[in-house]
Amino acid sequence: KRYAIGKIDEDVYCDAISDLENDMREAKLELELAKDIHIITSEPRLDTIAKDFVEHYSELWTTGKAMFVCVNKVTCVRMYNLAQKYWAEKINELEKKIKIENNIEKEIDNNRFFLEYQPVLDAKTKKIIGAEVLSRLNSESEGVLTPGSFLSAVDSVGINDKFDYYIFEKNCKWISNDKKQREQYKYTINFSRSTLCEPQFAEKIIAIAQKYDLNFSCLAVEILEDKNITFDARKQMIDNLSVLKAKGISILLDDFGSGYTTFGDLQNLDISVVKIDKTITQNSVTDTGFIILKNIIRTAGDIGFKTLCEGIETKEQEEAVIKAGCDLLQGFYYYRPMPVAQLEKVFNENSGGV
């Protein structure tokens, strides 16, 4: 058996006991929670550390802020209701995560995903010129899930490429069902960098678009913020994007100003639009934030790229990003992600197009 005792959150102290050889569910739970927990692997040390633990946190113990402390290998004392609730929530979260991972490829094969769209507007005319394509999973066991609940499973299982091509083709098929109306707009699809680095990526994207006889100008590829990639992989990605852009497919660099996306990407990637992270967009109402946004937009424009400010939620933010010179607008202030039927209604009410 393996024993753990320590601090999880600010006022949450606990122990975890599991048989790693015979109970995989408990093992996965422990490994997930053990990031901030002191692991004890030898039984003789357990009583000593438990005693030290109680003494060290005696103030928390007496005030009831400590959750529970294991004072020997099988007995827990002073366990509050909050502890039971906390662990139950953690167990449910991990069980859900494991279940999604186990079923994610089957969900793709069974076509359990559907698409929603969030419109993008021209900053000068306020007309809709396109939309970002967002995937949703209608899971039989978990109900409707957003990307935050299943993309990590896609990555963990190692099927980013399968998922990316599946969503891209699903959107292409939808456009082809009413080409006259839908090809007037540009649809942006998110792709992981691992998929973008595949040698056959550009060839596959072009083949799917041609399968549905689509105009390349209505399609856009969005590069997701992702982990660092090797020099060779980056070179392959750059080559792939250049091929797609030469065909008329737009390339968007996502979440600029946060995470792994940097000014180096502006220099190295043959992109069309810089999508500015919502934190920068929303901070633009401050003096410093406005200066930062304005200079990002100016730099992108000098290089020859358009800019898109995402995450606009207020009139003040809209006024700031327009004043800073942003070309394209997106956010809850205008539209939330919507199903296909609502998107078509919005298209009819807001004539615009690419």
Side-chain angles (χ1 to χ4, degrees):
K1 288 183 179 295
R2 194 177 191 189
Y3 305 93
I5 189 168
K7 182 175 180 178
I8 298 180
D9 289 332
E10 186 59 33
D11 292 322
V12 180
Y13 305 88
C14 70
D15 83 307
I17 304 177
S18 67
D19 187 331
L20 298 183
E21 294 182 356
N22 299 322
D23 192 338
M24 287 305 296
R25 185 178 76 92
E26 290 287 344
K28 289 185 178 181
L29 170 63
E30 180 179 330
L31 291 174
E32 185 75 16
L33 295 179
K35 296 173 184 176
D36 297 315
I37 300 178
H38 183 73
I39 300 297
I40 307 165
T41 55
S42 60
E43 290 187 23
R45 294 180 57 205
L46 182 62
D47 289 332
T48 301
I49 293 182
K51 180 181 178 182
D52 292 342
F53 183 83
V54 174
E55 291 177 353
H56 185 70
Y57 294 109
S58 58
E59 182 179 350
L60 291 173
W61 176 261
T62 56
T63 58
K65 291 184 178 179
M67 299 191 66
F68 62 94
V69 175
C70 185
V71 295
N72 58 50
K73 65 180 180 181
V74 293
T75 305
C76 289
V77 297
R78 193 77 174 184
M79 184 165 68
Y80 291 87
N81 291 334
L82 181 59
Q84 295 175 312
K85 179 181 178 182
Y86 179 87
W87 283 100
E89 290 175 351
K90 286 296 181 182
I91 291 171
N92 288 337
E93 288 174 9
L94 287 167
E95 286 183 334
K96 180 178 178 180
K97 179 180 177 181
I98 293 168
K99 183 184 291 185
I100 293 172
E101 287 182 1
N102 290 340
N103 295 325
I104 193 68
E105 189 162 16
K106 186 189 300 182
E107 303 280 22
I108 297 174
D109 295 336
N110 293 337
N111 196 29
R112 299 289 303 182
F113 288 83
F114 64 96
L115 304 180
E116 289 192 342
Y117 297 81
Q118 186 177 24
V120 174
L121 288 70
D122 181 277
K124 293 181 179 179
T125 65
K126 301 291 182 67
K127 295 293 185 180
I128 296 173
I129 58 88
E132 180 177 2
V133 183
L134 304 166
S135 55
R136 304 287 187 259
L137 170 58
N138 184 17
S139 170
E140 286 190 64
S141 60
E142 305 298 329
V144 175
L145 302 176
T146 56
S149 298
F150 61 76
L151 281 184
S152 61
V154 171
D155 185 60
S156 178
V157 175
I159 54 172
N160 282 310
D161 55 344
K162 181 175 182 175
F163 177 78
D164 288 344
Y165 294 129
Y166 163 71
I167 295 299
F168 180 76
E169 180 161 4
K170 197 172 187 69
N171 182 63
C172 287
K173 183 177 181 180
W174 173 77
I175 298 172
S176 70
N177 291 332
D178 187 0
K179 289 175 58 180
K180 184 177 180 181
Q181 162 77 346
R182 297 169 184 168
E183 278 193 329
Q184 298 178 59
Y185 302 90
K186 190 181 295 292
Y187 304 92
T188 304
I189 298 279
N190 294 308
F191 284 88
S192 66
R193 287 203 177 185
S194 60
T195 303
L196 289 163
C197 295
E198 291 185 346
Q200 304 303 315
F201 172 72
E203 181 181 331
K204 289 180 180 179
I205 291 300
I206 291 170
I208 293 171
Q210 290 177 333
K211 175 181 177 180
Y212 295 97
D213 193 27
L214 297 183
N215 188 326
F216 290 117
S217 65
C218 75
L219 301 173
V221 169
E222 186 168 305
I223 307 172
L224 279 176
E225 175 187 20
D226 208 335
K227 60 187 177 181
N228 292 319
I229 56 177
T230 65
F231 175 82
D232 289 340
R234 177 176 290 274
K235 184 178 184 303
Q236 181 64 66
M237 179 178 69
I238 292 172
D239 291 344
N240 287 337
L241 296 177
S242 295
V243 171
L244 295 181
K245 191 175 180 185
K247 281 287 187 179
I249 296 176
S250 297
I251 310 298
L252 281 75
L253 180 62
D254 191 23
D255 291 344
F256 185 82
S258 70
Y260 293 103
T261 306
T262 67
F263 276 100
D265 290 319
L266 298 185
Q267 181 177 351
N268 298 324
L269 299 175
D270 189 11
I271 60 178
S272 313
V273 178
V274 177
K275 192 171 183 180
I276 299 171
D277 185 72
K278 66 180 182 181
T279 57
I280 295 178
T281 296
Q282 293 171 359
N283 285 333
S284 65
V285 296
T286 67
D287 291 341
T288 301
F290 180 77
I291 293 171
I292 291 172
L293 175 63
K294 185 176 180 179
N295 279 279
I296 291 174
I297 292 173
R298 184 179 65 184
T299 300
D302 288 345
I303 299 173
F305 305 143
K306 287 188 175 182
T307 51
L308 187 161
C309 283
E310 64 175 341
I312 300 172
E313 297 182 357
T314 68
K315 178 66 175 176
E316 292 73 20
Q317 291 169 8
E318 178 193 55
E319 291 174 347
V321 301
I322 291 176
K323 183 179 178 181
C326 186
D327 301 296
L328 304 171
L329 313 172
Q330 183 181 8
F332 289 173
Y333 180 68
Y334 308 106
Y335 301 99
R336 291 179 177 271
M338 61 186 68
V340 168
Q342 185 179 351
L343 179 70
E344 292 178 329
K345 182 179 178 181
V346 168
F347 278 172
N348 291 329
E349 294 172 350
N350 297 268
S351 59
V354 178

